[in-house]
Amino acid sequence: DASCEIVRNDVGNHTFPTVVAMLSQQQPRLIGEKPTTSSKQNVVLYLNRLLHGEELVGNEQDDNNYLEDFFPSQIPSLWYNGEPTQFTTAALLGMFLSKVKQNAIATYRRLESTNGNNNDEVESSMPGVSLALVCPPEFTSEAQQEWMDAAYAAGVQDVQLVDRSVAYQAAYARKFPQHTDKYVMIVDMGHTETTVSVLGPEKTEEEKEGEETEKEEVATEENSADAKNVQSTMKVLACRRQKGLGAGVVDVRLWKHFQSTKLQSLTPTSRAGHRLLAGMTKLKQLLSQLPEGSVTVETVGPNDTDVTLEANRQLLVEVCSKDVQALTNLIQETFKAANVEPSQLYSVEVVGGGCRMPWVKKVIEQATKMNTLSYTLDDTSAALGAALNPCPVVASRTAGVDPTDEQLALRSAEETMAKLDHDLRLRSGILNQMESHILGLRSAKHEKHGDLLPGDLFTYLDALEDWLFSTEAEEASYDALQSKWQEVRSKTDELSKSYNDKVEAERSAKEAEMEAEAKQAQKEREGQEDGDEEDHDNRRLPKKRRMEIVMKNKNEGGELFSGGNYKFAAARYAKALSHCAKFVDLSPEDQEEVNTVKLTLNMNLALAYLKMKNVDQALRYANDALVIDENHTKALYRRASVYYEKKNWDGASKDVKKALKMTPDDKALLKLQEKVEGQLKRQKLKEKKMAQKMFG
């Protein structure tokens, strides 16, 4: 009955990508998060496939190693701390578990602090971190030991390995205790492997003999199941796994199809090959939702041209024909091993991203003779089942076991790397502050009162930017960087004093005006001015009356925006947008009119939030505008402006180029393009200098 909290990764997801990246000597290791660059240099993906015996085997009769180019099982030499380093599987997994451990500790601190405990109380009550790891069937003893070594390297004393099918059985029995006397199949299709399990009651010989009689009473038992106190014990009757059968393999199938028919010069290990594989992932996802789809993959065609690739579900089934047969065979083999017929199944639970594909669902339905699949288990179920106590384990290690020399060496190395990561984060924080400071001042030149910034300021910024890429900056200690940052702030404040004074005076005036507006708004609410009740009504108003309410709020928002009251303007725009969702029984012409208003409101909201420096909200509304009209030049300009503020130069450049194709003489777009290209040049120069330092 104890509570269970799912530990999330840094961006709030349940799953941690098994990735370790060492992008440069000046950056800490990137663990549990895929790097944004398309290059796979100095990056190790899919750590679980590096374990002993976990190499992928394809379903190709002519070439069982065709997946090796896409999902290599060999660990490359990584450039770390200025020199090439060969890490073991246990060392890389130890890095990954260290990250999981950090997030688990952060989760505990968050929960305890929300319960009213102060920091000292939280730290004093901090429990040790224990791990329950799920492993596939037929897991080799060598692979088990690699996980034990990795756990010790991460500073985890107690660890246990639980078979995946057993974990699912425990989670299912906990969630549905009234169904433990039923036969249940679980199909788990992950990225590159699929596991099929059959769960069922543990029967005596007498019960097996009486099974035929029980079948005749199924209907009666079903009607009274909720009233019974079911005593059956559910167990795993059979489990089978197929490596090289999963959602990631479908990406490879599509990659091979288009490479052979349209892009013969591409190779799996090239950057263009990586971009094509990412495009195939998007195409697969589209075909999981729509009967047909297309994706545009940048710079993969002749002379680095963009290529648009189209496919439908029929093509997907054709390129995955071997996988269709492999999944069918896997389900049939599991039935046979469990000595269970499809007609005996109570339900089929599907888990994993691969099971979202329509062809996979169809194969499962046909092989199990079930018209409806169940989705009550999710990506947290295996973790929950493994953590339940008691749960049979495959292998374990406790704090009382003396570590081996190899484990001691692994932990020492991980502690050294963790300290270096900490120091690099401190240094990186200061360098990022300086870079953001430079960018902010350069952007201020193009904003209101930018003419007050003297030329000497930008001469100083140019010199500072050169220093940031110098050997002196690279070798500077944390204290030296702190001192430099204080010097930069003092010098730039001195050079931009006139500008800062003017901006501060306007800010103070706007705050006073906004405070006055807030007081007036409060008075209006208290006075129940006519029309305020309309904000909350859901009546079926005529289109004309509803549009009057929309335009009233839109116009008020425009007036507030013109006066610099961006917060209140955004509130009015949002209110108008909410009323746009309340139109009923619209003709096609009326719907087009409403969509035009919605597009304008979304763009206005994006601009208002951009003015308030809330770039995430600004991006949300810019995206919503482009959902209505993906080719609207003003909406593209608005999103490009948001991308610029978020330092997503590539995204900004893409939107600007698309908009300029439709309005090539737009001055605002041309000005933004100039700013974006300037940042891209700086970024390329920075990458070039970093690469020279790393490999020169």
Side-chain angles (χ1 to χ4, degrees):
D1 296 329
S3 62
C4 179
E5 180 75 16
I6 299 297
V7 176
R8 300 176 183 269
N9 66 8
D10 292 342
V11 294
N13 294 331
H14 291 159
T15 56
F16 287 71
T18 53
V19 180
V20 170
M22 300 173 184
L23 302 180
S24 79
Q25 191 174 347
Q26 286 74 43
Q27 294 177 272
R29 296 170 298 169
L30 188 65
I31 303 171
E33 180 182 349
K34 290 183 179 179
T36 55
T37 175
S38 62
S39 172
K40 298 298 187 292
Q41 190 176 36
N42 243 38
V43 178
V44 183
L45 300 165
Y46 315 117
L47 299 181
N48 51 306
R49 299 199 194 105
L50 304 178
L51 289 157
H52 182 275
E54 291 301 296
E55 300 83 1
L56 293 181
V57 178
N59 298 311
E60 301 272 10
Q61 295 177 354
D62 54 341
D63 181 11
N64 277 342
N65 295 320
Y66 80 104
L67 293 174
E68 182 66 23
D69 288 335
F70 298 92
F71 311 120
S73 58
Q74 301 299 315
I75 304 175
S77 178
L78 300 177
W79 192 270
Y80 178 71
N81 199 23
E83 60 184 13
T85 306
Q86 189 67 49
F87 292 97
T88 65
T89 298
L92 292 170
L93 290 172
M95 301 177 196
F96 177 74
L97 292 183
S98 292
K99 180 66 176 179
V100 174
K101 175 185 172 183
Q102 291 171 15
N103 284 55
I105 292 173
T107 300
Y108 178 82
R109 286 174 175 154
R110 174 177 58 81
L111 292 174
E112 289 299 303
S113 62
T114 57
N115 290 334
N117 296 324
N118 60 42
N119 291 337
D120 290 339
E121 291 173 335
V122 172
E123 294 303 319
S124 63
S125 64
M126 180 75 68
V129 175
S130 300
L131 287 178
L133 304 173
V134 174
C135 65
E138 303 170 359
F139 207 47
T140 67
S141 59
E142 292 87 350
Q144 295 172 23
Q145 187 59 51
E146 285 172 326
W147 272 123
M148 298 297 117
D149 294 344
Y152 188 84
V156 177
Q157 297 289 358
D158 297 311
V159 61
Q160 62 182 30
L161 290 177
V162 179
D163 187 283
R164 182 183 297 142
S165 60
V166 174
Y168 278 134
Q169 176 268 317
Y172 186 87
R174 176 188 174 99
K175 194 166 190 176
F176 303 108
Q178 71 275 24
H179 295 162
T180 55
D181 61 338
K182 306 291 195 298
Y183 291 104
V184 177
M185 174 171 280
I186 298 178
V187 182
D188 180 3
M189 179 175 281
H191 192 251
T192 55
E193 69 175 37
T194 299
T195 304
V196 179
S197 309
V198 173
L199 315 180
E202 193 168 10
K203 295 182 178 181
T204 64
E205 290 300 321
E206 292 179 355
E207 287 174 325
K208 292 178 182 178
E209 292 174 2
E211 194 172 56
E212 291 302 319
T213 304
E214 291 176 3
K215 285 183 180 179
E216 299 175 1
E217 301 172 357
V218 165
T220 304
E221 291 178 0
E222 287 289 332
N223 293 333
S224 60
D226 292 339
K228 288 185 177 182
N229 181 18
V230 179
Q231 299 297 326
S232 301
T233 301
M234 177 175 273
K235 73 170 189 175
V236 179
L237 301 180
C239 180
R240 293 291 183 271
R241 174 173 66 141
Q242 175 67 57
K243 291 185 285 185
L245 176 62
V249 179
V250 175
D251 303 340
V252 175
R253 301 287 192 200
L254 289 169
W255 190 99
K256 290 172 73 68
H257 168 75
F258 286 112
Q259 188 268 347
S260 63
T261 56
K262 295 180 180 293
L263 302 164
Q264 290 89 345
S265 62
L266 259 62
T267 60
T269 56
S270 65
R271 287 197 176 191
H274 293 155
R275 286 195 294 274
L276 178 60
L277 187 62
M280 295 304 92
T281 301
K282 293 179 182 178
L283 183 58
K284 173 195 66 183
Q285 292 168 347
L286 280 174
L287 294 177
S288 295
Q289 304 171 43
L290 303 169
E292 56 186 27
S294 65
V295 294
T296 299
V297 186
E298 297 181 349
T299 63
V300 295
N303 301 317
D304 290 337
T305 55
D306 299 348
V307 176
T308 298
L309 303 172
E310 300 176 347
N312 54 38
R313 288 179 177 175
Q314 181 58 38
L315 173 65
L316 187 62
V317 172
E318 291 172 4
V319 300
C320 295
S321 58
K322 290 184 173 64
D323 302 302
V324 170
Q325 189 59 52
L327 180 56
T328 302
N329 293 343
L330 184 62
I331 293 173
Q332 291 174 348
E333 290 170 7
T334 312
F335 272 131
K336 184 177 180 180
N339 195 25
V340 172
E341 295 296 326
S343 59
Q344 294 177 264
L345 287 181
Y346 172 75
S347 70
V348 176
E349 295 284 340
V350 290
V351 189
C355 289
R356 299 189 186 102
M357 294 183 286
W359 72 262
V360 174
K361 296 178 185 177
K362 185 175 181 180
V363 169
I364 296 172
E365 289 170 354
Q366 291 176 342
T368 61
K369 297 180 172 57
M370 295 288 286
N371 295 325
T372 304
L373 305 180
S374 175
Y375 298 84
T376 54
L377 298 181
D378 58 24
D379 55 1
T380 67
S381 297
L384 172 63
L388 293 176
N389 190 25
C391 189
V393 299
V394 175
S396 63
R397 186 188 185 286
T398 61
V401 178
D402 292 333
T404 64
D405 291 341
E406 181 181 356
Q407 289 173 340
L408 290 170
L410 285 169
R411 177 177 289 189
S412 176
E414 175 58 28
E415 289 174 346
T416 300
M417 289 186 286
K419 183 180 184 306
L420 180 58
D421 286 345
H422 176 72
D423 294 342
L424 287 172
R425 287 191 188 95
L426 292 177
R427 295 183 77 261
S428 179
I430 298 177
L431 292 171
N432 286 339
Q433 286 180 334
M434 282 195 265
E435 288 186 0
S436 296
H437 192 59
I438 293 171
L439 177 62
L441 289 171
R442 289 192 189 281
S443 298
K445 181 180 180 180
H446 304 286
E447 297 175 358
K448 191 177 180 181
H449 308 309
D451 57 333
L452 295 176
L453 295 170
D456 288 349
L457 172 65
F458 299 101
T459 301
Y460 177 76
L461 294 179
D462 290 339
L464 176 60
E465 206 162 39
D466 290 339
W467 181 85
L468 288 173
F469 299 113
S470 68
T471 304
E472 180 184 352
E474 180 183 338
E475 297 177 351
S477 65
Y478 173 71
D479 291 338
L481 288 176
Q482 277 277 41
S483 177
K484 181 70 174 180
W485 175 220
Q486 292 175 1
E487 173 194 315
V488 168
R489 282 183 294 180
S490 176
K491 183 66 176 178
T492 54
D493 285 348
E494 175 188 337
L495 291 172
S496 57
K497 186 177 187 305
S498 298
Y499 170 82
N500 291 338
D501 289 346
K502 189 70 174 177
V503 170
E504 177 60 26
E506 283 199 354
R507 187 191 66 79
S508 298
K510 283 182 181 179
E511 283 190 355
E513 187 178 349
M514 288 175 67
E515 186 176 350
E517 288 281 350
K519 290 179 180 178
Q520 179 62 30
Q522 181 63 31
K523 288 181 180 179
E524 291 177 1
R525 285 192 294 271
E526 292 172 354
Q528 288 292 306
E529 267 194 2
D530 291 340
D532 280 353
E533 71 280 359
E534 295 168 345
D535 297 343
H536 308 288
D537 85 72
N538 290 300
R539 294 173 295 171
R540 294 172 62 88
L541 295 178
K543 179 250 180 183
K544 180 181 178 181
R545 176 59 181 142
R546 184 67 69 186
M547 185 60 77
E548 288 175 354
I549 299 172
V550 170
M551 298 309 295
K552 172 179 177 289
N553 283 285
K554 177 178 178 293
N555 294 335
E556 289 177 357
E559 293 175 5
L560 289 165
F561 187 93
S562 298
N565 298 321
Y566 306 126
K567 180 178 179 181
F568 294 105
R572 286 296 180 183
Y573 290 144
K575 191 181 295 183
L577 196 59
S578 71
H579 280 285
C580 284
K582 299 177 182 179
F583 285 98
V584 293
D585 301 331
L586 294 177
S587 67
E589 294 79 11
D590 289 340
Q591 185 63 61
E592 185 176 349
E593 179 187 357
V594 172
N595 284 344
T596 300
V597 175
K598 287 172 64 178
L599 190 147
T600 302
L601 287 168
N602 278 302
M603 288 193 296
N604 290 350
L605 278 161
L607 181 58
Y609 279 110
L610 197 57
K611 290 289 187 181
M612 292 187 285
K613 305 300 182 184
N614 189 337
V615 290
D616 291 329
Q617 282 289 77
L619 180 59
R620 170 194 166 190
Y621 286 109
N623 283 333
D624 287 348
L626 287 166
V627 167
I628 298 171
D629 185 354
E630 63 179 358
N631 295 315
H632 197 279
T633 55
K634 193 171 181 180
L636 287 166
Y637 171 78
R638 187 77 73 240
R639 188 169 71 176
S641 301
V642 177
Y643 280 147
Y644 184 87
E645 293 299 323
K646 290 174 72 70
K647 302 182 185 179
N648 183 350
W649 319 126
D650 291 331
S653 177
K654 184 177 179 180
D655 280 352
V656 169
K657 287 179 180 178
K658 184 175 180 180
L660 283 172
K661 287 181 181 178
M662 293 173 279
T663 55
D665 299 323
D666 190 292
K667 292 182 180 180
L669 283 168
L670 291 170
K671 184 176 180 180
L672 180 57
Q673 184 184 42
E674 181 182 352
K675 292 168 62 178
V676 171
E677 288 178 350
Q679 293 298 340
L680 285 170
K681 288 179 182 178
R682 290 188 179 92
Q683 180 175 303
K684 289 180 179 178
L685 177 62
K686 179 179 178 181
E687 291 174 353
K688 182 179 179 181
K689 289 181 178 179
M690 292 175 69
Q692 288 173 344
K693 292 174 183 176
M694 183 182 296
F695 301 107

